[in-house]
Amino acid sequence: MKKTMAMLLALAMTASLTACGGSQTASTTAAPAAAPAETSASGDAGTESEEAAPAEGEDAFADLGDFVMMVGHAQPEGNPRYTSMEQFAADVEEKTNGHVTVQVFANGQLGTEKEMLEQVVAGTIQGMRGGQFDFSPRLLMFTLPFLAQTREQVTALLNSDLAKKVCAEAEAETGTVIINLCDAGGWRQFSNGKHPITKPDDLKGLKMRTNGMSTIDKTFIALGATTTSIPYSDLYMGLKTAVADGQENPWVNVEGMKFYEVQKYFTEVNYQFHPDPFYVNAAWWNALPAEYQEIITECAADMGTYNDQLIDETQEAAKQVVIDAGCEVYVPTEEELQAFKDAVQVVYDECVEEGILTADELKELQDIVANAS
C-alpha cells in the first residue's frame, strides 16, 4: 500500500510540476485574457464588436487550456459513490470536449478518507468525496441521530441555505471548496457479532467501531457501548478479528464491503444519514476558467442526484444480500425505535454545547425537516 501511495503521489506531483510549465495535458493556469476589441477606422470606441459564435464543429474551449482533476474516494466498484463518480468523470470530459480529464482513484487507493482530504488541502490531489468532517466539523450538524426519516427530508436539509452556509465556511477554514453535497450511502444500521440489538440496553458492553466521527461516538456512548476507531478499509479485518464487536453503516456499504461475512446480527434502526461532500482544492478551483467551473459544478449536481437515486434503488437489494447470507435482521417496532431516540437526545445538547451548531441552527434544522414534503 505504501509503495502504491508513493507511486501515485509521485505521479500527482509530476502532473502538478508539468502544469506549472504550461503542458497541454495538465495546465493549472487560466488562459490569458482576450485582447481588446478593435475600434472602428473612425476611432469610435463606443460600440464593441460582438463575439462571434464558434463555427459548427469548432472547439469552443480550445483556448482555455487543459486540466487534470485527480479525485479519490473509499468505496469499491458497485457502490453508488463509485458509480456516480465514474459518471461524473465521463460527463466532465464530454462537456469540456476532453479539456478537463477527471482521474478517479476508488477503493481507498490513495489512503484513508482523512489522508485523502489532507492531500486535497495540500494540493497533492485536486478532490475527494467522502464523509470526512475533521476539517469541517460544522457539517456534523447534519449527522445528529434520528434527525431525518425520509428522502425528502434529507434532500431538503442538503439543499438548504444552512447547508450552503456551512459549505461556504470550508474554503476559509480548510482551503477547499465543496462543489456538491449529497447522501453518503443511505440510512445507517447497527450490527454486531454477539447478539441481537432490539433495545438500547443491548448495546451495553459492546465495543462498537466508529470512523472517529463525534456524533457516532456520542450516540454509541449514550446507548451504553464503548467505541474504537478503525479506518474503513481495515474494518472487515477489524470485525473478523474482534478488534470491534460491531459497527454501523448503510446497507449498500455492508454489501459492498461484505461485512455480512463477519457480522451475524443487524438492526434496521435508520438512525443517521451522512452528507457526502465533494471537496476540491480551492487554489486549483479558483485557477480554472469560469466556463470549466460552471460545467464541473453542473456535472457535480447531476452526480449528486444520480448518487441519491442509486442509493434509493439499491438499499433494499443490498439488505436482501445480507439476509440471504444468513444474517439476522431485526426491525424495531415504533415503540422500540422511540426508546433509541429518547436515549440519544443528550447528543443534541452536547453538540450545541461544543459549538458544532447553535440552538438557533438546531431549530432551523428541525424546521427544515418538519416542512419537507
Side-chain angles (χ1 to χ4, degrees):
M1 176 67 182
K2 290 183 179 179
K3 184 176 181 181
T4 302
M5 277 289 297
M7 292 177 64
L8 288 168
L9 294 178
L11 287 171
M13 292 302 294
T14 301
S16 177
L17 291 171
T18 304
C20 293
S23 165
Q24 289 301 301
T25 59
S27 172
T28 58
T29 57
E38 293 183 3
T39 59
S40 66
S42 64
D44 293 335
T47 58
E48 297 179 356
S49 60
E50 293 184 4
E51 185 178 346
E56 185 176 353
E58 185 178 341
D59 186 348
F61 306 118
D63 296 332
L64 297 182
D66 296 341
F67 296 80
V68 173
M69 183 181 190
M70 293 178 61
V71 182
H73 68 86
Q75 296 295 1
E77 186 172 359
N79 184 277
R81 185 183 297 163
Y82 182 105
T83 304
S84 61
M85 278 302 303
E86 294 298 311
Q87 186 62 55
F88 168 78
D91 287 347
V92 170
E93 184 165 357
E94 177 186 354
K95 293 183 179 182
T96 63
N97 295 335
H99 291 294
V100 179
T101 302
V102 181
Q103 299 175 349
V104 182
F105 296 86
N107 205 22
Q109 293 178 71
L110 301 183
T112 66
E113 289 188 339
K114 183 176 181 180
E115 289 168 343
M116 284 187 280
L117 183 53
E118 289 171 345
Q119 292 169 50
V120 175
V121 172
T124 308
I125 63 176
Q126 286 70 53
M128 71 84 66
R129 260 186 71 191
Q132 172 53 240
F133 310 129
D134 281 8
F135 297 168
S136 300
R138 294 253 296 149
L139 283 169
L140 288 170
M141 69 174 68
F142 299 100
T143 69
L144 289 167
F146 301 106
L147 174 63
Q149 299 296 302
T150 68
R151 168 58 65 198
E152 290 76 17
Q153 292 170 352
V154 170
T155 300
L157 286 166
L158 296 182
N159 291 335
S160 66
D161 289 340
L162 180 56
K164 291 180 175 66
K165 181 181 79 171
V166 174
C167 288
E169 296 169 357
E171 181 171 1
E173 295 173 355
T174 68
T176 65
V177 176
I178 297 176
I179 62 172
N180 185 256
L181 198 63
C182 57
D183 188 344
W187 304 114
R188 302 180 77 88
Q189 322 299 349
F190 298 158
S191 75
N192 79 104
K194 291 194 169 183
H195 55 249
I197 296 173
T198 65
K199 57 186 182 299
D201 281 352
D202 293 331
L203 281 119
K204 291 181 177 178
L206 292 180
K207 186 191 299 183
M208 301 295 288
R209 175 266 178 182
T210 79
N211 60 2
M213 187 183 296
S214 173
T215 50
I216 300 177
D217 283 314
K218 292 180 189 306
T219 296
F220 278 138
I221 291 170
L223 294 171
T226 59
T227 63
T228 183
S229 180
I230 302 173
Y232 187 68
S233 58
D234 298 333
L235 180 51
Y236 182 97
M237 286 305 299
L239 296 170
K240 185 175 182 178
T241 58
V243 174
D245 298 317
Q247 58 87 50
E248 55 77 54
N249 256 296
W251 291 122
V252 294
N253 291 7
V254 171
E255 179 198 11
M257 299 296 283
K258 301 185 185 301
F259 296 147
Y260 55 83
E261 294 180 348
V262 289
Q263 296 278 268
K264 173 67 175 176
Y265 305 100
F266 288 80
T267 302
E268 189 173 53
V269 71
N270 292 352
Y271 89 102
Q272 206 182 41
F273 82 92
H274 287 180
D276 189 358
F278 191 162
Y279 295 100
V280 176
N281 177 270
W284 182 86
W285 178 258
N286 292 329
L288 284 175
E291 294 89 337
Y292 289 162
Q293 290 181 344
E294 182 177 351
I295 289 171
I296 292 172
T297 300
E298 291 175 353
C299 292
D302 291 341
M303 172 209 70
T305 300
Y306 183 40
N307 174 84
D308 293 355
Q309 289 174 347
L310 289 171
I311 290 171
D312 291 344
E313 292 168 1
T314 57
Q315 281 187 117
E316 285 302 315
K319 173 184 171 182
Q320 191 60 47
V321 170
V322 175
I323 294 171
D324 292 344
C327 298
E328 295 183 18
V329 176
Y330 186 78
V331 181
T333 66
E334 284 299 321
E335 183 178 353
E336 290 170 331
L337 199 58
Q338 189 61 48
F340 286 99
K341 295 177 181 180
D342 293 342
V344 300
Q345 283 305 300
V346 63
V347 177
Y348 285 60
D349 298 332
E350 291 172 348
C351 287
V352 171
E353 289 171 4
E354 292 180 10
I356 291 172
L357 75 167
T358 66
D360 287 342
E361 287 171 336
L362 175 56
K363 177 65 164 53
E364 187 174 350
L365 286 175
Q366 293 169 331
D367 287 344
I368 292 168
V369 169
N371 293 327
S373 58

